[in-house]
Amino acid sequence: MRRRLLPVLVLAASTLAFTACTTPSSTPSSSPSSAPSSTASAEPEVDPQLTVTLDGLTFTDDDGTTEATFEDSDALLSLLEKATGELPAPEAVEDMPGYELNLETYTWDGLQVTADSTGESPSWVTVTGAEVDGIPIATEEGLTVGSTRADLLAAEAWALVDTEDPATATELGLGGREVPDTQSLTHPGSVGIIYVLFVLDGDEVTRIMSPSNDFSDL
């Protein structure tokens, strides 16, 4: 059984208006000049955005860009708390027979983080909506929940096993990266990889998981 891995600035320039009035006369005369007027520079505005990568999450807003990797679950959760203003209470994940994984989940509207409560193993995310508590979330390629199969294929997504057709498969991968000292379960003899997983219902993406892999046995 496959295991999911343990996943503008527009410058506003001030406008300076300067006018001067003179009275026609054979003798030069002075008249009061209007005082220079200016408009205050507009504050830069950046629409908040969450981005999913193979390595973690990126959050961009007016304060700049914050990144957190899946290797650092505390930083990942802090990033999401900053973005959304909340940190849901964790819920323990029931272990499968024969395994003691210490997993717990944190669930926002549109996204779930699965983390190792001991901090020893990486976390991963499952995206279930095009927004997380109202903040748009997408992959680096701009793919979201709601994207189409055509969008995925245009980004060169592939079927997880060679016997499946990308035009009909219910799961597609994107952005594979080899992980040293692992062995692929779907391509025996090859080094295992991590990738972003897209789950489809028909031709529409309903879920995104990062990172996923082809070498875990869970």
Side-chain angles (χ1 to χ4, degrees):
M1 178 171 62
R2 187 180 299 110
R3 179 185 180 183
R4 311 304 180 203
L5 184 66
L6 293 179
V8 163
L9 178 62
V10 177
L11 295 178
S14 297
T15 303
L16 181 63
F18 182 83
T19 60
C21 298
T22 60
T23 303
S25 173
S26 58
T27 304
S29 61
S30 61
S31 59
S33 297
S34 59
S37 63
S38 62
T39 56
S41 298
E43 291 294 328
E45 294 182 358
V46 178
D47 291 333
Q49 173 72 45
L50 282 163
T51 303
V52 182
T53 73
L54 267 179
D55 299 304
L57 293 179
T58 299
F59 174 58
T60 303
D61 65 358
D62 281 340
D63 293 332
T65 298
T66 304
E67 299 179 349
T69 69
F70 295 123
E71 296 287 341
D72 190 341
S73 296
D74 288 341
L76 192 74
L77 294 170
S78 293
L79 179 150
L80 286 167
E81 183 176 15
K82 173 188 175 183
T84 65
E86 64 172 326
L87 180 62
E91 297 182 9
V93 177
E94 184 177 353
D95 287 330
M96 296 180 62
Y99 293 90
E100 187 175 344
L101 301 177
N102 302 305
L103 298 180
E104 55 189 13
T105 59
Y106 298 78
T107 304
W108 285 261
D109 180 19
L111 178 141
Q112 183 178 83
V113 173
T114 303
D116 178 355
S117 61
T118 68
E120 295 180 358
S121 299
S123 56
W124 69 90
V125 297
T126 303
V127 183
T128 57
E131 297 182 340
V132 178
D133 281 358
I135 301 170
I137 184 167
T139 67
E140 294 178 289
E141 300 81 9
L143 298 165
T144 70
V145 168
S147 289
T148 66
R149 185 183 300 272
D151 295 329
L152 288 174
L153 297 181
E156 302 184 352
W158 32 266
L160 302 189
V161 295
D162 294 338
T163 56
E164 294 182 325
D165 184 348
T168 57
T170 59
E171 296 183 339
L172 296 176
L174 189 64
R177 181 196 300 161
E178 291 187 350
V179 178
D181 301 322
T182 65
Q183 291 290 320
S184 172
L185 298 178
T186 55
H187 297 87
S190 298
V191 177
I193 62 172
I194 59 173
Y195 54 89
V196 180
L197 172 69
F198 297 82
V199 180
L200 297 97
D201 182 2
D203 290 326
E204 181 176 314
V205 175
T206 59
R207 198 160 27 127
I208 302 172
M209 296 179 66
S210 182
S212 190
N213 71 77
D214 70 349
F215 53 82
S216 296
D217 59 356
L218 285 178

